[in-house]
Amino acid sequence: YKHFIVLSGYWKNIIRGNNSTANYYIIPNAVEKCDLKPTKVKKYFLFLGRIELDQKGIDLLLAAWAEMHNPPKLVIAGAGSESEIYTLKSLIEKHPNK
């Protein structure tokens, strides 16, 4: 391969040991710390990712959330197929802690 995208300098060095002529791009698997300060403090839990119930375990998250007493707001954000989103909406409607 001529191009690699890696998560850290560590992985860049590991892979470069096998292919020193390739181009390497480091894209961290996180967001950088910023100086933004929230104006209001709200308690919530965020799931951010691909909407895919079986592989991401969103169904298990909803089941656990339903068992919690007075949980914070759960925010689910992401994209997925129409069928996955429809199934997710159906599961959300069935849970008491919507």
Side-chain angles (χ1 to χ4, degrees):
Y1 296 102
K2 294 181 182 180
H3 305 283
F4 289 88
I5 297 173
V6 295
L7 298 176
S8 68
Y10 171 81
W11 286 110
K12 176 182 173 182
N13 293 334
I14 295 291
I15 297 171
R16 179 170 267 163
N18 293 320
N19 187 346
S20 61
T21 61
N23 296 313
Y24 293 87
Y25 306 93
I26 299 174
I27 301 176
N29 196 13
V31 294
E32 293 185 28
K33 186 177 178 182
C34 65
D35 293 331
L36 295 176
K37 300 205 181 340
T39 56
K40 291 184 178 180
V41 176
K42 294 183 178 180
K43 293 184 180 184
Y44 65 90
F45 184 88
L46 172 65
F47 171 91
L48 177 62
R50 185 176 68 248
I51 306 298
E52 192 168 328
L53 280 76
D54 291 336
Q55 290 188 5
K56 296 293 185 170
I58 302 171
D59 53 337
L60 300 174
L61 174 62
L62 291 173
W65 216 258
E67 298 294 322
M68 294 177 67
H69 175 69
N70 197 23
K73 182 177 181 177
L74 173 60
V75 177
I76 299 174
S81 69
E82 286 184 33
S83 63
E84 289 288 329
I85 292 172
Y86 177 82
T87 304
L88 174 60
K89 287 180 179 180
S90 298
L91 285 174
I92 290 171
E93 287 300 317
K94 292 178 184 176
H95 285 286
N97 294 334
K98 296 183 210 175

